[in-house]
């Protein structure tokens, strides 16, 4: 467990991702929606998940002071999804992202977690603007971003990625 800030909502704990989450990450990144909407990360076994966390998630957290949070349901300690803030190389700005296991969708958990991370972005991490990216076909993500108060700003591409994305913005 890291010494980075954790957050709490009525039903959830959001804790910085750690190596102890590798089995959960393995499951999450191989769900059909992750692969369709986020992309195949080639994480096929537990060792891959550990490396993915060590090489992609933890360095971001160390460098930026924020990153990916594991979303845990208080009532039974189920690891349900991730929500976090990402500052990508070669992109000006910080974006919010989220992904949940299918059995935890459509129950308000993603909104509850994302609302808390959005608030933390401004109040804890001192950001003045928050971005978000999604593909046009991801209607549930678009709906959640709009519910968070984010506004569609146009389309863009991330560096080294040919996919045209919708970009949402929210400023203080």
């Amino acid at each position: 467990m890291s010494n980075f800030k954790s957050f709490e909502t009525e039903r959830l704990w959001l804790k910085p991702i750690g190596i102890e989450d590798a089995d959960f990450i393995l499951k999450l990144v191989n769900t059909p929606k992750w692969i369709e909407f986020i992309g195949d990360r080639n994480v096929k076994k537990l060792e891959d998940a550990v490396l993915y966390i060590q090489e992609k998630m933890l360095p971001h957290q160390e460098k930026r002071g924020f990153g990916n949070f594991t979303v845990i349901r208080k009532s039974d300690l189920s690891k349900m999804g991730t929500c976090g803030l990402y500052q990508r190389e070669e992109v000006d700005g910080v974006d919010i992202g989220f992904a949940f296991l299918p059995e935890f969708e459509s129950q308000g958990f993603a909104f509850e977690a994302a609302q808390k991370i959005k608030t933390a972005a401004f109040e804890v991490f001192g950001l003045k603007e928050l971005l978000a990216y999604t593909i046009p076909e991801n209607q549930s993500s678009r709906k959640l971003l709009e519910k968070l108060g984010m506004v569609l700003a146009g389309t863009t591409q991330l560096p080294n990625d040919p996919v045209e994305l919708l970009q949402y913005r929210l400023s203080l």
Side-chain angles (χ1 to χ4, degrees):
M1 185 93 120
S2 84
N3 58 359
F4 289 97
K5 186 150 182 59
S6 294
F7 299 98
E8 184 176 351
T9 69
E10 183 181 337
R11 301 183 293 167
L12 309 172
W13 282 307
L14 291 86
K15 71 157 197 74
I17 202 142
I19 299 299
E20 68 277 5
D21 298 314
D23 54 342
F24 165 70
I25 290 298
L26 176 64
K27 185 176 177 184
L28 182 66
V29 301
N30 286 293
T31 60
K33 281 189 176 179
W34 180 291
I35 291 170
E36 178 183 0
F37 296 135
I38 299 172
D40 189 347
R41 297 298 188 246
N42 202 29
V43 174
K44 304 302 178 198
K45 54 188 192 283
L46 189 58
E47 296 78 23
D48 298 335
V50 169
L51 282 174
Y52 185 70
I53 293 168
Q54 286 176 328
E55 295 175 358
K56 301 282 186 198
M57 297 176 163
L58 295 181
H60 181 278
Q61 197 170 279
E62 291 289 332
K63 184 176 184 181
R64 310 284 187 212
F66 53 76
N68 229 322
F69 293 85
T70 302
V71 180
I72 302 165
R73 183 167 55 189
K74 288 179 178 179
S75 63
D76 61 2
L77 304 182
S78 292
K79 293 180 181 180
M80 302 187 301
T82 62
C83 187
L85 298 170
Y86 313 97
Q87 189 165 13
R88 303 164 195 263
E89 298 298 327
E90 303 171 27
V91 175
D92 189 24
V94 175
D95 61 277
I96 188 169
F98 39 82
F100 280 73
L101 293 173
E103 60 265 33
F104 299 111
E105 293 175 356
S106 302
Q107 299 172 56
F109 294 122
F111 176 73
E112 190 172 329
Q115 182 72 25
K116 187 65 174 185
I117 295 300
K118 177 188 92 168
T119 300
F122 296 125
E123 295 179 3
V124 177
F125 301 116
L127 302 178
K128 302 293 181 218
E129 180 179 61
L130 197 56
L131 304 174
Y133 304 98
T134 190
I135 61 173
E137 299 80 8
N138 192 342
Q139 291 298 327
S140 59
S141 181
R142 294 175 67 181
K143 187 176 166 185
L144 178 65
L145 293 172
E146 290 164 9
K147 190 174 178 182
L148 288 170
M150 301 191 80
V151 177
L152 182 60
T155 59
T156 191
Q157 289 176 275
L158 296 175
N160 305 313
D161 189 346
V163 178
E164 182 92 354
L165 298 171
L166 299 177
Q167 182 185 62
Y168 285 79
R169 291 181 177 270
L170 179 65
S171 299
L172 261 186

